Amino acid sequence: MADEAETSSRDFSNLRLEDFLAMSEEERQALPKARLKKMQKLAALAERKAAKAVELEADAELQQQRRLEEARRIHIELDPRLPPPQSCQLRDVFASEAAEWIGRRVLVQGWVHNIRFESKKLAFLDLRDGTGFLQCVLTDKLCMTVEAITLFREASVRLWGTLREDARAKGGLELHADYWCIIGPSHRDIEMILTHESNPDVLLTHRHLVIRGRHTSSVLKMRSIITQCFREHYFDRGYVELAPPTIVNTMCEGGSTLFPLDYFGEQAYLTQSSQMYLETAIPAVGDCFCILPSYRAEKSSTRRHLAEFHHLEAEMPFITFAQLLQAIEELVCDVYARVIHRGGELFRELNPNAAPPKRPFKRMDYADAIEFCRQHRIYKDEESRTPFEFGDDIPEAPERRMTDMIGEPILLCRFPIYLKSFYMQPCADDPDLTESVDLLMPGVGEIVGGSMRMWDHDELVKAYEREKMDASAYYWYTDQRKFGSCPHGGYGLGLERFCCYMLGVAHVRDVCLYPRYRGRLTP
């Protein structure tokens, strides 16, 4: 009975197919029925795919042997009589007018994104070099060699040829090769590792190959552009970028989500936020920001949660709560406009329906949000239809539903003091509320959390006592209230969530190079 109780209390939502296949039949039968049925279906699909792969491989092997016999008699050579080529990257070609490159002989290098044979003597190769894509045409002997008929996707190649105009090709140009060679071959297994039927676990296990795809690589490039635009926003306004430590001995957002580690025999943690260190820097440099990883050991497996995420944080001295809200609104709108300009066609391809957020953002108090949920039948628990009460935390799903119903950005303000972190400044008109804010965006939910910070020494000491915290570990933070304190505030923005919002991507994992969340530590 104890074993059954333990099994029923376990969370199998992140059970991977490879783990299921390694289970004994007894362990499988202990799974929840719905999970067992799903995993059995995935296992059966994997088995059918494996059998089909064996069949296809045997047939392909027979055909390949015949072609190889003919191909071994064909050889190609670089023609020294042709004019010397101009070595270039694909972005060089498409950064200028196509007419400038027509008729020019070039040397390009990259990876085979796709290859298709139209006939025995005609093949089209889509080349990818990380900066762009180019269709390359192989004719006659160029596509009849052993290297050509054993060429697979993701092989790295070098091609010589002339650029010609062709309206059917993306960008209006294609390369007519006069010679090519393989730099690094690719194995035929590439054709079976990833398919349109691959489940999310397979895609994440082979993320190192998935990122080579056109969509995923475009998302990663846009993430880089978005990060650049954030920096430009801050630098244009005189902010200083800092690099606080990510190994710390204190908590910032509550002890339940800390990742502990042994730091040369001392108890340490991976940082939840760099905010407190930025606060210490504002007397030295004024307005400041950082873009660094933060870590949260949350048990959540929602589409917007990660164990490791990139945290964009900023702190500003001598501001009011109203100015803090204005700064957050200006950040989002300005960066959005910059991304549209810098992202250009790449951004429009990823999110053709993108629309800049309209200003001013809706200001809404927490108390009004609770009342909105009650009036619009948004429940704390959908199954029991339990309504929200003042003082309840609003979870992700109801919060997102409320945001989507309102249909515009919401600066949700003035949360109860016991729902927020110890350092948040109480409201002057109601000490049970805080000068705090969450920015909620339609389709994503919360992307920014901020507040005014306690700046009175005695008030901060009482906050330590209220939360039963060891104030001695925060001596450096408390000192800010002893030596020239001032009203100040700041915020933290989840970069992955913002990327999802801008690019129209549903899941934060899809905007990460290699996402880290509960159950995923590879690759």
Side-chain angles (χ1 to χ4, degrees):
M1 292 295 291
D3 290 342
E4 291 179 11
E6 180 182 351
T7 300
S8 63
S9 66
R10 290 174 58 192
D11 180 8
F12 292 99
S13 60
N14 288 310
L15 180 65
R16 296 178 296 180
L17 178 59
E18 51 262 46
D19 297 328
F20 176 77
L21 294 175
M23 284 181 167
S24 66
E25 187 59 31
E26 183 179 355
E27 289 173 322
R28 293 181 183 181
Q29 293 304 317
L31 293 171
K33 289 183 179 180
R35 177 58 53 177
L36 175 61
K37 186 176 180 180
K38 179 179 180 180
M39 298 311 296
Q40 286 175 332
K41 185 177 179 180
L42 289 174
L45 177 62
E47 186 176 350
R48 290 196 299 272
K49 287 172 63 177
K52 183 66 175 178
V54 171
E55 180 183 339
L56 291 175
E57 187 173 357
D59 183 59
E61 183 66 27
L62 181 61
Q63 297 294 329
Q64 188 75 344
Q65 288 302 323
R66 293 172 181 169
R67 295 179 66 196
L68 280 172
E69 288 300 320
E70 298 178 10
R72 289 190 179 99
R73 297 191 290 269
I74 298 174
H75 301 280
I76 59 174
E77 293 181 352
L78 187 62
D79 190 344
R81 296 169 298 177
L82 294 173
Q86 177 180 342
S87 181
C88 62
Q89 291 184 305
L90 300 187
R91 67 180 168 201
D92 300 330
V93 174
F94 294 108
S96 54
E97 293 293 330
E100 295 182 24
W101 291 88
I102 295 173
R104 192 178 297 186
R105 188 166 184 257
V106 297
L107 166 61
V108 292
Q109 304 173 92
W111 292 266
V112 178
H113 193 70
N114 191 32
I115 184 169
R116 62 190 186 278
F117 282 85
E118 293 293 319
S119 67
K120 186 177 180 180
K121 294 186 177 183
L122 177 63
F124 292 92
L125 184 155
D126 293 328
L127 185 72
R128 182 190 76 243
D129 73 346
T131 73
F133 294 81
L134 177 66
Q135 179 171 283
C136 305
V137 184
L138 306 181
T139 56
D140 298 326
K141 291 183 177 181
L142 295 181
C143 55
M144 298 171 65
T145 63
V146 170
E147 290 78 13
I149 65 174
T150 58
L151 185 64
F152 297 102
R153 286 190 298 118
E154 299 308 327
S156 58
V157 295
R158 185 176 290 126
L159 297 102
W160 290 255
T162 304
L163 288 168
R164 296 182 185 175
E165 187 175 19
D166 192 317
R168 296 168 297 178
K170 187 174 177 62
L173 290 175
E174 66 180 10
L175 178 76
H176 285 250
D178 54 62
Y179 182 72
W180 75 281
C181 65
I182 293 179
I183 301 171
S186 178
H187 197 277
R188 68 174 61 186
D189 287 352
I190 190 68
E191 306 298 340
M192 295 304 299
I193 292 175
L194 301 174
T195 68
H196 292 297
E197 297 177 342
S198 296
N199 67 56
D201 274 340
V202 171
L203 295 176
L204 285 165
T205 298
H206 295 89
R207 183 73 175 169
H208 55 292
L209 299 177
V210 170
I211 60 177
R212 301 185 183 195
R214 185 186 292 265
H215 176 79
T216 306
S217 64
S218 295
V219 168
L220 294 177
K221 289 176 184 177
M222 280 306 308
R223 173 175 171 147
S224 174
I225 290 172
I226 290 170
T227 305
Q228 179 184 359
C229 290
F230 273 115
R231 285 196 164 93
E232 289 175 351
H233 169 88
Y234 286 119
F235 290 145
D236 283 354
R237 286 158 178 76
Y239 283 68
V240 174
E241 183 171 11
L242 299 173
T246 56
I247 299 176
V248 299
N249 71 332
T250 55
M251 68 177 182
C252 185
E253 301 296 332
S256 63
T257 64
L258 285 169
F259 278 111
L261 60 91
D262 184 323
Y263 185 71
F264 303 107
E266 291 186 66
Q267 178 70 72
Y269 309 97
L270 296 177
T271 188
Q272 300 165 312
S273 167
S274 297
Q275 167 224 311
M276 296 170 73
Y277 289 99
L278 289 181
E279 284 187 61
T280 69
I282 55 178
V285 300
D287 295 341
C288 55
F289 79 100
C290 69
I291 305 177
L292 290 171
S294 286
Y295 304 86
R296 304 281 173 89
E298 291 181 283
K299 297 296 191 289
S300 300
S301 298
T302 72
R303 69 179 192 175
R304 69 178 194 181
H305 280 96
L306 294 165
E308 176 189 47
F309 66 99
H310 272 74
H311 211 173
L312 187 148
E313 300 181 87
E315 293 292 322
M316 298 155 285
F318 303 110
I319 64 167
T320 64
F321 186 48
Q323 289 172 322
L324 174 65
L325 301 183
Q326 190 66 25
I328 294 171
E329 180 177 314
E330 184 178 346
L331 171 77
V332 171
C333 293
D334 180 61
V335 169
Y336 202 110
R338 291 173 185 268
V339 171
I340 289 177
H341 174 71
R342 282 200 173 274
E345 188 61 30
L346 182 63
F347 174 68
R348 288 187 287 273
E349 286 178 3
L350 285 172
N351 192 1
N353 299 317
K358 294 181 180 179
R359 303 180 69 173
F361 290 178
K362 182 180 180 64
R363 269 69 167 166
M364 186 178 193
D365 284 355
Y366 163 85
D368 296 329
I370 293 294
E371 186 59 29
F372 182 95
C373 290
R374 292 176 66 87
Q375 290 179 0
H376 292 81
R377 299 180 181 179
I378 300 174
Y379 298 107
K380 180 167 56 175
D381 186 314
E382 285 293 334
E383 188 173 338
S384 64
R385 300 177 74 83
T386 305
F388 280 99
E389 301 289 346
F390 187 92
D392 290 334
D393 189 20
I394 306 177
E396 178 200 6
E399 179 185 80
R400 196 168 66 243
R401 186 179 171 197
M402 177 189 74
T403 307
D404 291 346
M405 287 179 69
I406 293 173
E408 60 179 306
I410 304 168
L411 288 164
L412 189 59
C413 307
R414 293 167 59 92
F415 289 83
I417 197 165
Y418 46 82
L419 289 182
K420 289 297 183 179
S421 297
F422 72 94
Y423 51 76
M424 295 192 178
Q425 179 69 30
C427 295
D429 61 342
D430 188 343
D432 290 331
L433 302 178
T434 54
E435 291 187 322
S436 53
V437 58
D438 287 349
L439 174 59
L440 313 179
M441 303 302 286
V444 180
E446 180 193 345
I447 63 171
V448 178
S451 76
M452 296 299 289
R453 318 307 192 188
M454 279 187 185
W455 62 286
D456 180 80
H457 176 273
D458 294 341
E459 199 170 30
L460 181 60
V461 170
K462 289 178 182 177
Y464 291 143
E465 294 171 353
R466 183 186 71 235
E467 300 295 330
K468 298 180 173 56
M469 297 169 59
D470 178 9
S472 64
Y474 295 85
Y475 75 93
W476 50 274
Y477 187 67
T478 311
D479 276 357
Q480 303 304 306
R481 281 75 183 165
K482 289 173 62 178
F483 305 112
S485 188
C486 74
H488 62 284
Y491 53 84
L493 176 146
L495 181 60
E496 287 80 7
R497 292 185 187 181
F498 187 85
C499 289
C500 287
Y501 163 65
M502 281 225 65
L503 304 179
V505 175
H507 209 300
V508 289
R509 298 171 192 173
D510 295 332
V511 298
C512 299
L513 181 61
Y514 293 104
R516 291 292 180 259
Y517 58 93
R518 187 174 55 150
R520 173 61 60 180
L521 192 57
T522 58

